[in-house]
Amino acid sequence: MKGSVVIRFVIIGLLWAGVCAILIVRMVALDTPLNLMTLFPIIASGIIVFVPLYKKYIRNDKQRNSKGE
């Protein structure tokens, strides 16, 4: 995996974690309970963000390397 791909993953991961942290901090400030209905959007957003990136860069890179390209 190239260095630029790793940097992309790190930047996107930090941005996603920052948005999630802001959401959780605001929930704590508003005394909203942290339950499954509030955690589900965070988990779903992580899946929506990282699964396509995994498929595009990591899985395809492994397939290219196994073919000898």
Side-chain angles (χ1 to χ4, degrees):
M1 191 162 53
K2 294 181 182 179
S4 62
V5 174
V6 173
I7 291 171
R8 286 182 209 158
F9 272 108
V10 169
I11 291 172
I12 291 172
L14 289 174
L15 287 172
W16 177 78
V19 170
C20 291
I22 290 170
L23 177 67
I24 292 172
V25 166
R26 289 181 62 92
M27 288 173 44
V28 169
L30 295 173
D31 292 328
T32 305
L34 193 62
N35 55 21
L36 186 60
M37 288 300 289
T38 55
L39 287 177
F40 178 74
I42 295 172
I43 295 167
S45 68
I47 292 170
I48 290 169
V49 168
F50 291 108
V51 168
L53 290 174
Y54 171 81
K55 286 182 178 180
K56 182 175 182 180
Y57 293 112
I58 295 176
R59 190 174 67 181
N60 288 341
D61 189 44
K62 287 180 183 177
Q63 289 175 353
R64 262 188 250 123
N65 288 339
S66 67
K67 291 181 183 177
E69 292 181 9

